Amino acid sequence: MKNKKLLWNLLYVFVIIGIGYFIYLSSAHVNYIWRWKNIPSFIVYNSQDTIDSPVSGIVENYKNKTLYIKSVKGKIEALKVEHPEVEKGQVVDKDDELGYNTHYRSGPLLVGLYMTLKISIMAMVVAMFLGLITGLMRISSNPLLKNLALTYIELVRGTPLLVQLFIFYFFIGTVFHLDRLVSGVGALSVFEGAYIAEIIRAGIQSIHKGQREAALSLGMNYYQIMRHIIMPQAIKRTMPAMAGQFISLIKDSSLVSVISITDLTKAGREIITSTFSPFEVWFTVAFMYLVLTYSLSFLTQIIERKMAKSD
Amino acid sequence: MTNTIIKAENVYKTYPGGVEALKDVSLTVSKGEVVVIIGASGSGKSTFLRTLNRLEKIDSGKITIDNMEITNPKIKITSLRSEIGMVFQHFNLFPHLSVLNNVVLAQTIVKKRDRKESVEIAMELLRRVGIDDKADMYPGQLSGGQQQRVAIARSLAMKPKIMLFDEATSALDPEMVGGVLDIMKSLAKEGMTMVVVTHEMGFAKEVADRVIYMDEGRIVEAGTPKTVFSGAKSERLKQFLSQIL
């Protein structure tokens, strides 16, 4: 039995290698030249900052990566220089190059990833809020609230996110003079909020009505029942669906690149225009999205396991 | 009658589907009285019980609890409900809260007692129902009988004037029924006003001051256990009793 499983797993590895080889062959077929070497520098790169002498004087000493320069007036200046290009006793003028320091800096892909993360988190917070309100309105017995919620949900779920993004940016954004980031986050939040509303509605409705009745019979009001009885159980039950929705949100956020927000996807596009390495860049971009989404699903698994303990 | 605590007058209720659940039901219960409602399923007995704390709204008629007309839509029902304890067939404990917190929660948020006092009251009541050693467990870890005893403690913690029991033992394994009934009996002995919907005829005979027989949404017969069980007048009650006893 165990051997059989091993066999299938081995076969899995072979299939994956086969697919990889197939991709390589296809690229060779179109005479594609792989240039993976440059890619890491788009994530982080080592920059050199030259250090210029602030005064005219003489190099007194070099200790602990610090240059000591005695100025003409007799004052000693201490400067941090990792790689000095001057020697002890050398005379330097003001603004002469003394050497350089190296810094790790975020490349455009990492900056883009940060933007994607920022947009996603902002949109998540707003979408949660919108979804919660809409979800509660959706199950309300008041026709006004219920119909408003239904209209919102149907409109949003029936139209493509890309079109909504354009409407937000070109129409709402123009009317209210919104920044493109606000438009992007707004459109994403409104879109995901409609789905979260349905998740929350389903979560609330999945709680047995006896829970509500027991809480009512103890004298609790609507808010108390929601806050202490229904929501804690509903949230726990909707965790997997909610996590899935947040993962979708991260992926959907790539569409904001069309309104010129430099997220991970837009950063990738910009790099390609200068490097002509679309294959490497898109694979890298995809991998970076995968890191985000996988960390999120890993995190929710941990939370779910922790929450399951209270059962 | 100053001694009256529950007064239901000409209560009618029709479900949205068109089922007439209650037809002209009137009942008066005095303080400290134990009223047991019997009847076949679908006879309206549970519906009637649930109108007493307005879990079910009625179409017409009037229900007064402790001189408060609870069927008046203007009345603030939430605080009034805390004075009427209710025990359900399926316990309806809050599964995400420990046994202790099940009993504590409503005390702190409805009665605004501080946590320390609420815990003391809760532990005392849990001791009374014999579950104090399981205070830190979760409802899912308890047997049905234990859960129902916690549910009774949870209701009692609100210091209710009336206790309603809606088939409190129907969902229990037979060996669990006795323990729950014993608690109900001791409550009755202490002078708690109780309205009990049950199929436990033994309990009705032993504890009830009055037995009400309902059928098709109406009260068909009412009286002491002796007159109802031994001197049934209507054919339907005779038939019902012969089936159940």
Side-chain angles (χ1 to χ4, degrees), chain A residues 236 239-240 243 247 293-310:
Chain A
K236 190 164 155 183
M239 272 291 284
I247 286 168
T293 53
Y294 188 76
S295 330
L296 186 61
S297 76
F298 185 71
L299 196 76
T300 44
Q301 272 175 29
I302 292 176
I303 296 173
E304 269 171 58
R305 226 172 293 147
K306 277 222 168 114
M307 281 177 122
K309 275 183 190 160
S310 74

Side-chain angles (χ1 to χ4, degrees), chain B:
Chain B
M1 281 228 303
T2 52
N3 214 16
T4 302
I5 191 161
I6 302 173
K7 193 175 169 88
E9 296 165 86
N10 313 103
V11 173
Y12 283 84
K13 160 102 192 166
T14 304
Y15 280 114
V19 181
E20 289 178 280
L22 297 175
K23 287 176 263 184
D24 197 18
V25 176
S26 296
L27 177 73
T28 307
V29 180
S30 307
K31 270 180 196 152
E33 200 178 4
V34 177
V35 174
V36 171
I37 305 177
I38 57 171
S41 55
S43 59
K45 54 192 193 308
S46 280
T47 304
F48 179 62
L49 193 76
R50 290 158 57 86
T51 63
L52 296 180
N53 62 354
R54 217 165 89 184
L55 279 185
E56 298 285 356
K57 283 187 184 139
I58 62 173
D59 297 333
S60 68
K62 194 169 137 187
I63 297 171
T64 313
I65 305 276
D66 206 17
N67 295 321
M68 295 267 262
E69 194 196 327
I70 63 152
T71 41
N72 181 350
K74 283 186 199 125
I75 207 157
K76 206 173 170 292
I77 188 74
T78 45
S79 57
L80 200 69
R81 277 200 186 110
S82 67
E83 319 225 311
I84 308 167
M86 189 165 206
V87 178
F88 300 86
Q89 183 179 356
H90 296 288
F91 337 128
N92 299 346
L93 290 182
F94 307 131
H96 60 301
L97 298 177
S98 69
V99 164
L100 180 66
N101 282 333
N102 262 277
V103 187
V104 165
L105 178 67
Q107 293 188 64
T108 55
I109 65 174
V110 177
K111 292 279 184 194
K112 312 283 181 207
R113 290 180 196 142
D114 65 45
R115 165 104 194 155
K116 189 165 168 277
E117 188 191 355
S118 305
V119 169
E120 275 168 19
I121 293 173
M123 285 311 294
E124 191 188 313
L125 286 165
L126 287 174
R127 206 167 302 133
R128 172 175 179 171
V129 298
I131 311 285
D132 50 327
D133 55 331
K134 298 188 169 56
D136 293 325
M137 290 178 126
Y138 283 86
Q141 298 168 300
L142 267 52
S143 74
Q146 290 167 333
Q147 288 193 50
Q148 192 60 295
R149 284 189 267 163
V150 175
I152 294 173
R154 180 176 67 176
S155 287
L156 291 176
M158 307 306 283
K159 304 251 158 87
K161 293 174 181 151
I162 301 165
M163 285 289 285
L164 309 175
F165 291 86
D166 189 2
E167 304 201 21
T169 55
S170 299
L172 299 180
D173 290 334
E175 71 269 24
M176 302 286 177
V177 172
V180 173
L181 287 180
D182 285 342
I183 293 167
M184 290 166 67
K185 279 177 203 163
S186 78
L187 272 177
K189 253 184 222 145
E190 284 167 24
M192 175 67 79
T193 308
M194 290 164 59
V195 182
V196 182
V197 168
T198 187
H199 293 293
E200 295 292 330
M201 295 306 145
F203 176 83
K205 274 179 190 161
E206 189 185 333
V207 183
D209 296 308
R210 204 153 28 120
V211 176
I212 310 275
Y213 171 65
M214 282 184 76
D215 189 45
E216 291 182 348
R218 288 177 199 279
I219 293 180
V220 179
E221 282 193 41
T224 60
K226 211 173 179 184
T227 55
V228 171
F229 289 121
S230 323
K233 284 174 229 116
S234 67
E235 227 14 78
R236 280 181 296 184
L237 176 54
K238 279 180 197 161
Q239 213 177 357
F240 174 74
L241 289 173
S242 72
Q243 278 164 358
I244 209 155
L245 291 177

Side-chain angles (χ1 to χ4, degrees), chain A residues 36-193:
Chain A
W36 280 107
K37 211 169 81 235
N38 297 333
I39 298 301
S41 71
F42 292 112
I43 300 172
V44 277
Y45 65 96
N46 211 335
S47 83
Q48 297 187 353
D49 298 340
T50 55
I51 312 288
D52 296 338
S53 175
V55 290
S56 300
I58 186 163
V59 179
E60 272 272 304
N61 202 359
Y62 181 70
K63 225 169 42 187
N64 294 334
K65 295 191 171 175
T66 311
L67 266 179
Y68 295 93
I69 298 166
K70 191 175 184 183
S71 75
V72 197
K73 287 169 191 163
K75 215 176 136 202
I76 291 184
E77 298 273 343
L79 291 162
K80 192 175 170 288
V81 181
E82 283 170 6
H83 305 279
E85 285 164 345
V86 287
E87 283 167 13
K88 205 166 158 181
Q90 191 174 330
V91 175
V92 290
D93 276 337
K94 189 167 188 290
D95 294 335
D96 272 3
E97 199 179 312
L98 298 175
Y100 63 90
N101 285 340
T102 54
H103 280 287
Y104 280 108
R105 283 180 193 276
S106 309
L109 284 181
L110 205 59
V111 173
L113 184 79
Y114 173 70
M115 181 54 111
T116 290
L117 200 62
K118 189 169 126 188
I119 290 175
S120 301
I121 290 173
M122 287 197 290
M124 257 180 221
V125 173
V126 183
M128 264 306 270
F129 181 74
L130 268 177
L132 183 62
I133 301 284
T134 313
L136 290 174
M137 279 166 70
R138 172 81 175 70
I139 52 171
S140 160
S141 52
N142 181 325
L144 170 72
L145 299 178
K146 189 177 178 167
N147 287 331
L148 277 176
L150 271 172
T151 311
Y152 162 53
I153 292 169
E154 289 308 318
L155 280 182
V156 167
R157 297 212 304 179
T159 51
L161 174 57
L162 189 57
V163 175
Q164 290 170 24
L165 212 62
F166 285 139
I167 292 175
F168 240 89
Y169 182 55
F170 290 112
F171 178 64
I172 302 175
T174 311
V175 173
F176 294 103
H177 303 288
L178 296 182
D179 176 66
R180 64 176 87 247
L181 185 67
V182 176
S183 298
V185 171
L188 266 180
S189 311
V190 165
F191 180 77
E192 305 295 337

